[in-house]
Amino acid sequence: MAILKDAWQLYNSLTLCDDSKKGVRTELRRWELHLSHLEQREISSIKKLDLARLRCHLEKKNLSPQTIYHCLSLLRRVLYTAKEYELSDTKLPSFPMPKVKNQRYRFLSIDEANMLITCLSNRKFFSSMLWRDLTVVSLNTGLRPNELFNLRRCHISLKNKIIYVAESKNGDSRYIKMKPIVASICQKHLPASREALLFHKENGESFTQAGSPFRRAVKLCRFNEDITDPLYKVVFYTLRHTFASSLVM
C-alpha cells in the first residue's frame, strides 16, 4: 500500500519542478516543519477525522489561519497528485479548511508616511539607509514585499524607467513605471551582476520579512501603540496598502 511519503515524493518530482525557486523552498519547508510526521501513514487510511486532528495540531502550534490553510492545501494537492497518477485509488476526504481573515485595514496618511521616512533617515538611530530606501520604493510602486525583496538588476531598466515583476502572486508578470525617486534609488543600489539582488542582507541573501530597522522605526513612530487587532497594525505590507489607498483617494 502506498504511504504519504510516496505521494509527497511524486508531487515533489512532478509538480514542484514547475514552481519558482522561492515557491519550491516554501513548499519544502512547509512540508518538513508541519506535515512530515504523517509520511508513514497509508494514503487509504487518511480520513476526514485525521484532517480535523491535523488542523487542531497545527492550531496548537500557534500557527496563523493563513499558514494552516497553506499546510492543508499542500496536503490536499499531494493527495490529489497521488490519485491523478494512480498511486492511490482511494476516495479523497473533504478538507476542513479554516476561514482566513487577512485583509489589512491600516494605511498611512501622507503625514505618517513622511514621519516614517524621516525616522528611517535619522542617522542617530540607523546607520544604513537601506530600509529608508526600501520604504520609499514600496510606497511609490505598491510592490508586494516578496516582489520588492527579490528584485534583481535584470528586472530594472533605468533607460525606460521600468521595473519588471517576474513572479507576481497570481503567477503573471507585469511592468511598473518608475517615478524619478524610485529610479534614483534603484540606480544607487544597482549591482554589477545581472542576476544579483538589488536589495539584500549584508551576507548577500534576500530578505524574507521586514528587517529590525523597519520594525524599530514603526515603534519609534508609535504607530501600533494601543493597537491589539493585528489587522490594524502597521507592518511592511501596510506600505503596499498605502500605495493602493493613495490611488483611490
Side-chain angles (χ1 to χ4, degrees), residues 157-163 176-180 183:
S157 173
L158 293 175
K159 178 181 178 181
N160 298 313
K161 300 294 188 293
I162 289 292
I163 295 175
I176 295 176
K177 189 73 175 177
M178 285 191 282
K179 297 179 182 179

Side-chain angles (χ1 to χ4, degrees), residues 9-221:
Q9 291 175 342
L10 181 67
Y11 175 80
N12 197 342
S13 62
L14 295 180
T15 305
L16 276 186
C17 60
D18 294 330
D19 286 358
S20 66
K21 290 182 180 179
K22 181 178 182 296
V24 170
R25 288 196 302 269
T26 300
E27 293 281 65
L28 290 173
R29 182 168 175 78
R30 188 172 288 143
W31 183 270
E32 179 183 350
L33 289 178
H34 308 303
L35 299 169
S36 60
H37 66 284
L38 298 172
E39 285 185 347
Q40 298 306 314
R41 288 287 304 270
E42 290 185 4
I43 296 175
S44 60
S45 73
I46 299 176
K47 307 300 181 183
K48 186 174 181 178
L49 178 59
D50 298 301
L51 299 176
R53 286 171 174 165
L54 172 62
R55 178 175 167 179
C56 290
H57 169 73
L58 297 174
E59 288 172 347
K60 288 178 180 178
K61 295 171 73 171
N62 293 322
L63 300 179
S64 69
Q66 182 75 61
T67 301
I68 294 172
Y69 182 93
H70 284 316
C71 289
L72 291 172
S73 182
L74 173 57
L75 178 57
R76 182 168 57 186
R77 291 195 300 275
V78 168
L79 292 175
Y80 269 97
T81 300
K83 188 173 181 63
E84 180 181 359
Y85 289 95
E86 301 176 345
L87 182 64
S88 170
D89 59 0
T90 302
K91 181 180 179 181
L92 299 180
S94 59
F95 277 67
M97 307 298 281
K99 292 183 179 180
V100 178
K101 180 184 178 184
N102 60 2
Q103 175 62 50
R104 293 191 175 273
Y105 302 107
R106 182 74 157 92
F107 63 89
L108 302 179
S109 66
I110 293 176
D111 288 342
E112 287 175 327
N114 287 331
M115 182 191 304
L116 180 60
I117 292 169
T118 299
C119 182
L120 286 164
S121 302
N122 191 333
R123 289 300 181 97
K124 178 182 177 181
F125 300 113
F126 305 100
S127 59
S128 169
M129 293 294 99
L130 175 60
W131 282 96
R132 177 262 183 193
D133 291 346
L134 280 162
T135 297
V136 172
V137 172
S138 181
L139 285 168
N140 284 278
T141 61
L143 285 167
R144 295 181 178 89
N146 68 302
E147 293 171 346
L148 178 58
F149 297 156
N150 287 286
L151 282 180
R152 301 178 184 274
R153 175 169 181 156
C154 59
H155 300 144
I156 306 297
S157 173
L158 293 175
K159 178 181 178 181
N160 298 313
K161 300 294 188 293
I162 289 292
I163 295 175
Y164 171 63
V165 182
E167 295 179 9
S168 64
K169 186 176 181 180
N170 60 11
D172 297 329
S173 59
R174 69 183 192 280
Y175 293 91
I176 295 176
K177 189 73 175 177
M178 285 191 282
K179 297 179 182 179
I181 182 63
V182 175
S184 175
I185 291 173
C186 288
Q187 186 171 30
K188 169 184 170 183
H189 291 274
L190 206 65
S193 171
R194 175 177 170 80
E195 295 299 324
L197 291 164
L198 205 64
F199 308 105
H200 53 79
K201 300 177 183 178
E202 291 183 1
N203 61 6
E205 294 182 357
S206 63
F207 294 102
T208 56
Q209 60 184 359
S212 58
F214 180 84
R215 298 195 298 272
R216 185 183 180 196
V218 169
K219 187 174 182 178
L220 288 170
C221 292

